[in-house]
Amino acid sequence: MKTSSHERTLVLIKPDGVQRGLIGDIVGRFERKGLKIVAMKMVQATKEMAAKHYYWSEEEKLASGNRTINAYESKGLKPNKSAIAYAEDTQRKLIKFMTIGPVVAFVIEGAHAIEHVRKVVGSGNPLQADMGTIRADFTIDSYIIADESDRAARNLVHASSSVNEAEREIKVWFKENEITDYDLAIERILY
């Protein structure tokens, strides 16, 4: 039975996760949680795909850039760019990183899927991720190290942050006919 809390979300195992051979470990975390994978494929992202994936509205750019400015200020550093410039720099790094090797893209479906997936994945900054999450357990990278190297953080996984973002991102990676509708035996217990 599908409820109003039933959602779809996109997860990407980024090139660092693929290269480190963590696909099975990462996928297993979601399956053990009781979430259902309804689409999956390995893809070599083009720059165009990555740019569509990391599309941000002006409002999203401002929010991202302001988070960067706040992080600099909390470290006692003086920001030297506008919020938009920081956000566009972040986008450039993310797009470059997403295209350096294959990614595994998959769609997860279930009750509160977006929130559950983001809890399993952990904070975007692995240094701040809670133990037991993918990012805390499998990487020691951080935004600090990434900034010093002028690159995106190697945080293994992308997970959509909202219903609207998930809907937009899923369309970048999958056609609707590539998403399967089926029932898992465990759904009778969970739902």
Side-chain angles (χ1 to χ4, degrees):
M1 177 178 93
K2 293 184 180 177
T3 64
S4 62
S5 59
H6 196 84
E7 300 169 334
R8 282 184 179 167
T9 189
L10 179 77
V11 176
L12 300 175
I13 302 176
K14 296 178 181 181
D16 55 330
V18 173
Q19 290 297 315
R20 290 187 51 209
L22 296 173
I23 297 168
D25 290 319
I26 291 170
V27 169
R29 297 274 182 121
F30 300 111
E31 290 180 317
R32 284 190 298 279
K33 179 75 175 168
L35 295 164
K36 178 169 59 173
I37 297 170
V38 294
M40 179 183 282
K41 62 183 169 182
M42 184 174 277
V43 180
Q44 177 62 57
T46 64
K47 187 175 180 182
E48 293 75 25
M49 285 177 75
K52 283 182 186 175
H53 176 81
Y54 285 116
Y55 166 80
W56 293 339
S57 67
E58 290 299 308
E59 182 178 300
E60 290 167 318
K61 284 182 184 180
L62 278 173
S64 173
N66 283 326
R67 283 192 301 273
T68 301
I69 288 170
N70 291 338
Y72 273 92
E73 290 172 344
S74 73
K75 294 181 219 171
L77 301 172
K78 184 172 171 53
N80 59 3
K81 298 180 188 178
S82 70
I84 296 290
Y86 276 119
E88 289 173 349
D89 195 41
T90 299
Q91 283 179 299
R92 175 190 57 78
K93 293 174 189 176
L94 290 168
I95 291 166
K96 180 179 179 183
F97 180 54
M98 195 62 77
T99 60
I100 64 169
V103 302
V104 174
F106 52 108
V107 178
I108 289 182
E109 184 177 275
H112 310 287
I114 293 166
E115 189 172 353
H116 283 299
V117 165
R118 291 188 63 82
K119 284 181 181 179
V120 170
V121 168
S123 171
N125 183 353
L127 191 59
Q128 295 175 343
D130 291 331
M131 290 307 298
T133 65
I134 291 168
R135 289 177 176 149
D137 292 353
F138 295 123
T139 187
I140 59 170
D141 202 13
S142 71
Y143 287 165
I144 296 165
I145 296 169
D147 284 349
E148 289 171 355
S149 302
D150 192 36
R151 62 169 172 79
R154 296 179 185 131
N155 62 5
L156 304 172
V157 180
H158 165 82
S160 303
S161 64
S162 68
V163 171
N164 289 339
E165 184 177 272
E167 288 174 2
R168 182 185 58 75
E169 291 176 348
I170 288 169
K171 290 175 184 172
V172 171
W173 300 92
F174 292 94
K175 296 176 182 144
E176 189 59 37
N177 67 358
E178 294 177 302
I179 301 173
T180 306
D181 186 22
Y182 67 99
D183 293 323
L184 286 175
I186 196 170
E187 288 179 296
R188 293 183 184 155
I189 296 167
L190 295 176
Y191 308 121

